[in-house]
Amino acid sequence: MAMKISVVGTGYVGAVTGATFAEVCGHSVLFVDVIKDKVDKIRSGKAPFYEPGLDELLSKNRDKLHATTDFSEVRDSDAIFLCVGTPPSPDGSVDLSQVFSAVGCILPYIQDGKFRVIVTKSTVPPTTGEKVIKRLEQKGLVLGRDFGYASNPEFLREGNAVHDSLHPDRIVVGCADKKTEDVMKKIYSSFQCTKIFTDVRTAEMIKYTANALLATKISFANEIARLCSRLGVDVYHVMDAVALDHRVNREFLNAGLGFGGSCFPKDVKGLISLFENMNIPTNLLSSVLDVNESQPLFGINILKESLGGLSRRTVGVIGLSFKENTDDVRETRAYPLIKGILSEGARVVVYDPLASENFVNEYPDVGQKIVLAKSLRDAIDSSDAIVIHTAWDEVKRLSPNSFKEGQVILDGRRALDVEKFKNSDKVTYVGIGW
Ligand code: NAD
């Protein structure tokens, strides 16, 4: 049954979630954002950022999608999804100011006695739902009568967000009251995947636990890679064999330069901060971040050994976004990587098909010291050594002949054909544990 949904916040999660509701369920969706530019883009059927397939989904469903900066229009909704940012505070705890600001923005328009469900899709620490409910109750609203509340964490991956949203592994919904559960079941009735209905705190905890486990797998693989690199063992072969055990899933056991993005670093920090607030020691999660912080430096040391020092050499860094198929540079490992290479006295030339501008704006300290190459070809031609940071498709297609004679290549993402490159006389190919 088609319903009326408002989506507050038109970032990666909000824009994709809204478009998916229209596509899969036929719901009518109102996007609300405080940034007019983003709203205008969505109105014109375009995504406010780069995400494969999203433009098509937005324009295809234009008749069901509306966008505004005017919060009063949420009045008409059956449910209001909060998809605003939850960045880390300087101390690592989760900054919930956008969530409470969004609640403040919708509040004047939900006090008319009509039952609507407030759904938090943003990643928020356990007990946040209770705080949001309290804020609404302080305004005289009664849970279960004037409003419902659900936590509905999102698991999409940037770069694959449209696919993940259309075909989720599971849908997790934590409901504060029975009426809310009924509404959420209706909203998601067109999805065939496993649906987990639980309480609000459990839903909030599931999201943090999922991201912390995935980040842990990556750091585990990276730590093992350090030893493999000294032993001359291929960590990918090790992980392939380890994962043949039915208790182990092979995903996210790929060693490289570490994880970035807007979620894993911040969510692990947020979880650590929850432990600290409750005076529960945690060593594992801090180590996950430590390994991740030092992994680019580990890569730089491998490069230094292969090149015989970096001073006055030119290093081409390929890829600035935190991963391929996105222009998002939040927490990208390219930042500590380039910073570290520069501190060795090298000149750095960079190439990224999409993310250069975002990178220079987000990291001006490093941005001012690097040279932006016009093309992948230019970056290769002007460098003594190449570091592959992001596995863009055009990078994956490179062969040894694409490089200069004697060039050193540090493949930070195992993007290239390892056998071909290792057997090549033309270049020196090094991996991080392979
Ligand atoms: P984002 O920063 O891309 O987008 C947030 C949007 O919210 C922005 O457009 C901003 O203008 C808007 N906003 C801020 N305050 C507002 C307000 N008061 N009213 C209306 N709009 C407001 O964030 P994102 O990457 O989409 O992430 C959103 C949440 O989802 C975060 O909690 C994040 O951790 C979580 N999440 C993100 C991903 C991901 O891959 N990006 C995946 C799963 C979960």
Side-chain angles (χ1 to χ4, degrees), residues 35-344:
I35 299 179
K36 189 174 173 298
D37 263 10
K38 293 194 170 192
V39 165
D40 289 343
K41 279 234 170 87
I42 292 197
R43 275 190 182 149
S44 68
K46 291 230 174 310
F49 45 83
Y50 177 76
E51 183 62 42
L54 186 53
D55 280 352
E56 291 79 353
L57 205 62
L58 287 168
S59 74
K60 183 176 165 205
N61 289 286
R62 245 164 124 171
D63 58 325
K64 289 173 233 136
L65 302 174
H66 310 275
T68 182
T69 53
D70 178 1
F71 282 87
S72 71
E73 294 185 40
V74 305
R75 274 198 190 102
D76 270 349
S77 332
D78 300 307
I80 303 172
F81 282 70
L82 306 178
C83 302
V84 296
T86 49
S89 304
D91 67 357
S93 63
V94 185
D95 174 357
L96 292 171
S97 57
Q98 289 184 37
V99 172
F100 285 99
S101 146
V103 171
C105 292
I106 60 170
L107 244 169
Y109 311 107
I110 60 169
Q111 302 187 38
D112 53 4
K114 170 180 153 79
F115 181 85
R116 299 175 192 83
V117 178
I118 311 303
V119 187
T120 301
K121 203 167 230 326
S122 302
T123 303
V124 295
T127 73
T128 303
E130 287 143 69
K131 291 174 190 145
V132 172
I133 291 170
K134 200 165 165 199
R135 175 71 62 92
L136 297 171
E137 287 175 339
Q138 279 164 352
K139 292 286 169 188
L141 297 172
V142 176
L143 178 69
R145 186 192 72 189
D146 304 319
F147 75 101
Y149 183 83
S151 163
N152 174 210
E154 179 54 56
F155 299 96
L156 62 77
R157 298 162 298 169
E158 280 176 34
N160 295 285
V162 169
H163 172 272
D164 291 351
S165 189
L166 293 174
H167 310 283
D169 289 337
R170 77 307 208 184
I171 291 167
V172 174
V173 187
C175 299
D177 56 290
K178 180 73 186 93
K179 236 163 135 181
T180 290
E181 192 171 319
D182 295 340
V183 173
M184 294 303 287
K185 281 184 174 158
K186 263 192 220 160
I187 290 176
Y188 280 112
S189 60
S190 304
F191 285 86
Q192 303 306 319
C193 63
T194 303
K195 295 170 204 166
I196 294 148
F197 282 87
T198 180
D199 60 86
V200 172
R201 271 194 196 188
T202 304
E204 292 167 334
M205 194 64 201
I206 287 169
K207 175 62 192 176
Y208 275 91
T209 307
N211 273 3
L213 177 60
L214 294 172
T216 302
K217 288 183 78 175
I218 297 172
S219 280
F220 175 76
N222 283 337
E223 187 153 286
I224 296 292
R226 295 177 186 191
L227 188 57
C228 287
S229 131
R230 292 284 176 264
L231 292 170
V233 168
D234 186 333
V235 66
Y236 277 65
H237 291 169
V238 172
M239 291 305 172
D240 286 346
V242 168
L244 288 174
D245 184 322
H246 70 276
R247 294 167 296 183
V248 181
N249 174 304
R250 179 66 181 82
E251 297 281 316
F252 282 70
L253 287 173
N254 295 323
L257 287 166
F259 57 79
S262 67
C263 292
F264 287 178
K266 108 173 146 60
D267 292 346
V268 177
K269 278 180 207 155
L271 195 54
I272 291 172
S273 144
L274 280 175
F275 274 87
E276 283 168 354
N277 289 345
M278 298 195 166
N279 288 320
I280 304 168
T282 165
N283 300 321
L284 178 66
L285 294 172
S286 309
S287 302
V288 168
L289 293 181
D290 289 346
V291 171
N292 199 50
E293 279 310 304
S294 52
Q295 193 68 359
L297 304 180
F298 184 74
I300 292 170
N301 282 334
I302 295 176
L303 184 68
K304 257 167 82 179
E305 278 171 28
S306 310
L307 206 59
L310 295 180
S311 179
R312 288 195 289 277
R313 309 303 293 268
T314 300
V315 178
V317 173
I318 308 300
L320 298 170
S321 54
F322 83 95
K323 66 170 177 180
E324 62 275 22
N325 295 328
T326 179
D327 60 358
D328 195 345
V329 297
R330 289 179 282 184
E331 297 277 350
T332 176
R333 296 292 81 198
Y335 174 65
L337 175 74
I338 295 172
K339 210 172 168 176
I341 297 172
L342 286 169
S343 74
E344 295 286 333

Side-chain angles (χ1 to χ4, degrees), residues 339-359:
K339 210 172 168 176
I341 297 172
L342 286 169
S343 74
E344 295 286 333
R347 183 173 167 265
V348 176
V349 174
V350 303
Y351 169 73
D352 189 288
L354 281 181
S356 300
E357 197 184 326
N358 283 352
F359 185 85

